[in-house]
Amino acid sequence: MVACSVLVGPSAPVGSVPVAVARDVVPNRVMTWNLCNPCRVRNVDRAAEIATYAPQVVGLQEACVRDVERIRADLERYYGLRYHVAYGSVLRDWGRCGGAPWSPGGFGQALLSAAPMTDVVRVRYPDGGSENRGYMAVTTTVGGRSVRVFDTHLAQRRQETVRAEQTRVLAAAVAVHDRAIVLGDFNAVPAAPELRAMWALAADADPGCHPLPTAGCEPTTDWQSTFDYVFLRGIVPLEHRVHPTPYSDHHLLLADLRSASAHP
């Protein structure tokens, strides 16, 4: 049995996508996903969901550093997908992320990228609302071209004025870049006034998703609201997809970008 395991290599974990599904990353594909924390979900299952679509860049929210470390390790071990990682933690939270009481785990955003990331910036919003919130930004490669990528999570529930100020801060940072991708959970529907600053700068990866009442945005949450976005500035979308998942109350939102050759 030992000899067999050496020859075959690590087997896929029970309940995950078969290893045969994995492939090289799709170089023009980006994804955003709120992991739902704490939701007591196995990281190996989260890794399997990411491996199914193999994006070039993955923006994660409600991410514990320890969980992302395990997800990243499982992506390489079971699927051969190697990602660089950058963290945008805004809290040290023992209740959510574990660790020793005197050294709690980091909680916030994280970015996985198949290409190296440079010029990492981490910003806490001046007013986080009911808890600290922020954004992170990196420069990396998507579709063979350099691009600035942002990942954010805005204030939750009925904190519209807080989100409006957070969006203003984020939009000011995005505006200085001709090419940018903004991933995240904005906790607001497309027509919400607090998103006006983003709509003035960028379009959603879904051409039918816009701030007008006639918008045809697909829901990205289990409660049938559109809270998650892939905003594009200076980049044309090729295709977008929303995939419900049993491992979070937010769906996986993916976008393939026209700046590179299309993949199936």
Side-chain angles (χ1 to χ4, degrees):
M1 291 178 62
V2 172
C4 181
S5 65
V6 170
L7 290 173
V8 175
S11 59
V14 175
S16 73
V17 176
V19 173
V21 172
R23 52 178 171 169
D24 292 339
V25 295
V26 181
N28 63 325
R29 180 171 295 165
V30 298
M31 177 178 124
T32 184
W33 190 19
N34 183 314
L35 293 178
C36 179
N37 200 314
C39 280
R40 309 307 177 198
V41 173
R42 297 194 315 164
N43 288 311
V44 71
D45 292 323
R46 289 167 166 163
E49 291 284 80
I50 295 171
T52 301
Y53 308 105
Q56 172 79 3
V57 170
V58 183
L60 301 172
Q61 303 88 45
E62 296 196 23
C64 292
V65 171
R66 288 179 177 85
D67 288 336
V68 176
E69 288 174 345
R70 295 185 183 107
I71 291 169
R72 185 169 169 242
D74 287 340
L75 283 165
E76 181 171 358
R77 179 184 181 191
Y78 297 117
Y79 306 100
L81 298 173
R82 297 183 179 181
Y83 287 98
H84 301 267
V85 64
Y87 295 103
S89 299
V90 292
L91 292 173
R92 309 295 296 181
D93 196 310
W94 182 84
R96 272 183 167 144
C97 297
W102 58 88
S103 181
F107 176 82
Q109 288 76 247
L111 278 166
L112 300 177
S113 174
M117 292 176 279
T118 60
D119 304 317
V120 180
V121 171
R122 304 171 183 88
V123 175
R124 287 189 184 183
Y125 292 123
D127 183 358
S130 56
E131 69 176 22
N132 287 336
R133 293 289 165 96
Y135 75 82
M136 63 181 300
V138 305
T139 298
T140 189
T141 301
V142 177
R145 297 184 63 185
S146 178
V147 64
R148 195 68 173 163
V149 178
F150 293 79
D151 184 13
T152 192
H153 187 193
L154 301 192
Q156 60 182 339
R157 299 190 180 96
R158 298 186 180 278
Q159 300 180 78
E160 293 85 353
T161 57
V162 174
R163 287 196 296 274
E165 179 59 20
Q166 291 172 347
T167 306
R168 186 193 66 77
V169 172
L170 175 63
V174 175
V176 301
H177 300 279
D178 293 331
R179 286 172 43 83
I181 301 170
V182 186
L183 310 169
D185 173 6
F186 285 74
N187 271 315
V189 297
E194 59 261 38
L195 293 191
R196 287 173 183 164
M198 281 307 306
W199 288 118
L201 288 174
D204 191 70
D206 176 3
C209 190
H210 47 75
L212 300 178
T214 56
C217 308
E218 291 186 60
T220 64
T221 65
D222 286 353
W223 54 94
Q224 297 300 302
S225 292
T226 301
F227 277 5
D228 306 271
Y229 300 87
V230 175
F231 284 112
L232 302 175
R233 177 172 169 83
I235 301 171
V236 178
L238 177 66
E239 182 182 7
H240 82 283
R241 281 168 282 182
V242 177
H243 295 280
T245 169
Y247 306 118
S248 175
D249 54 1
H250 285 253
H251 306 339
L252 283 70
L253 175 58
L254 298 108
D256 290 357
L257 310 180
R258 198 180 295 276
S259 58
S261 59
H263 287 251

Short mmCIF file of all heavy atoms in Angstrom, two decimals, residues 37 69 81 112 161 167 182-183 221 263:
data_model
loop_
_atom_site.label_atom_id
_atom_site.label_comp_id
_atom_site.label_asym_id
_atom_site.label_seq_id
_atom_site.Cartn_x
_atom_site.Cartn_y
_atom_site.Cartn_z
N ASN A 37 -17.78 33.25 7.11
CA ASN A 37 -17.00 32.86 8.28
C ASN A 37 -17.55 33.55 9.51
O ASN A 37 -17.69 34.77 9.52
CB ASN A 37 -15.53 33.28 8.05
CG ASN A 37 -14.58 32.54 8.94
OD1 ASN A 37 -14.81 32.39 10.13
ND2 ASN A 37 -13.49 32.08 8.36
N GLU A 69 -4.36 29.53 4.10
CA GLU A 69 -3.14 28.73 4.00
C GLU A 69 -3.48 27.28 3.66
O GLU A 69 -2.82 26.66 2.82
CB GLU A 69 -2.37 28.78 5.32
CG GLU A 69 -1.69 30.12 5.59
CD GLU A 69 -1.07 30.19 6.97
OE1 GLU A 69 -1.40 29.33 7.82
OE2 GLU A 69 -0.26 31.11 7.22
N LEU A 81 -2.43 23.15 -8.58
CA LEU A 81 -2.62 24.58 -8.84
C LEU A 81 -1.83 25.38 -7.81
O LEU A 81 -2.11 25.30 -6.62
CB LEU A 81 -4.10 24.94 -8.78
CG LEU A 81 -4.99 24.25 -9.81
CD1 LEU A 81 -6.46 24.56 -9.54
CD2 LEU A 81 -4.62 24.67 -11.22
N LEU A 112 -5.53 35.36 -4.07
CA LEU A 112 -4.70 34.31 -4.64
C LEU A 112 -4.45 34.65 -6.10
O LEU A 112 -5.38 35.02 -6.81
CB LEU A 112 -5.40 32.95 -4.55
CG LEU A 112 -5.77 32.42 -3.16
CD1 LEU A 112 -6.52 31.11 -3.29
CD2 LEU A 112 -4.54 32.26 -2.29
N THR A 161 -24.97 54.66 4.95
CA THR A 161 -24.10 55.83 4.94
C THR A 161 -22.64 55.43 5.15
O THR A 161 -21.73 56.07 4.59
CB THR A 161 -24.53 56.83 6.03
OG1 THR A 161 -24.52 56.19 7.31
CG2 THR A 161 -25.94 57.35 5.74
N THR A 167 -17.14 53.30 -0.10
CA THR A 167 -17.06 53.27 -1.56
C THR A 167 -16.34 54.49 -2.11
O THR A 167 -15.58 54.40 -3.08
CB THR A 167 -18.47 53.18 -2.17
OG1 THR A 167 -19.17 52.06 -1.62
CG2 THR A 167 -18.41 53.00 -3.67
N VAL A 182 -11.96 45.21 -9.72
CA VAL A 182 -12.36 45.37 -8.33
C VAL A 182 -13.29 44.21 -7.97
O VAL A 182 -14.38 44.08 -8.52
CB VAL A 182 -13.08 46.71 -8.09
CG1 VAL A 182 -13.36 46.90 -6.60
CG2 VAL A 182 -12.24 47.88 -8.62
N LEU A 183 -12.83 43.37 -7.06
CA LEU A 183 -13.56 42.19 -6.63
C LEU A 183 -14.09 42.42 -5.22
O LEU A 183 -13.45 43.10 -4.42
CB LEU A 183 -12.63 40.97 -6.61
CG LEU A 183 -11.81 40.70 -7.87
CD1 LEU A 183 -10.77 39.62 -7.60
CD2 LEU A 183 -12.72 40.28 -9.02
N THR A 221 -26.26 35.62 -3.71
CA THR A 221 -26.37 35.17 -2.32
C THR A 221 -27.54 34.19 -2.18
O THR A 221 -28.43 34.14 -3.04
CB THR A 221 -26.61 36.34 -1.36
OG1 THR A 221 -27.89 36.93 -1.65
CG2 THR A 221 -25.53 37.40 -1.50
N HIS A 263 -11.12 30.69 -23.21
CA HIS A 263 -10.97 29.30 -22.81
C HIS A 263 -12.33 28.70 -22.59
O HIS A 263 -13.27 29.41 -22.18
CB HIS A 263 -10.12 29.20 -21.53
CG HIS A 263 -8.68 29.47 -21.75
ND1 HIS A 263 -7.72 28.51 -21.70
CD2 HIS A 263 -8.03 30.63 -22.05
CE1 HIS A 263 -6.52 29.05 -21.93
NE2 HIS A 263 -6.70 30.34 -22.13
#
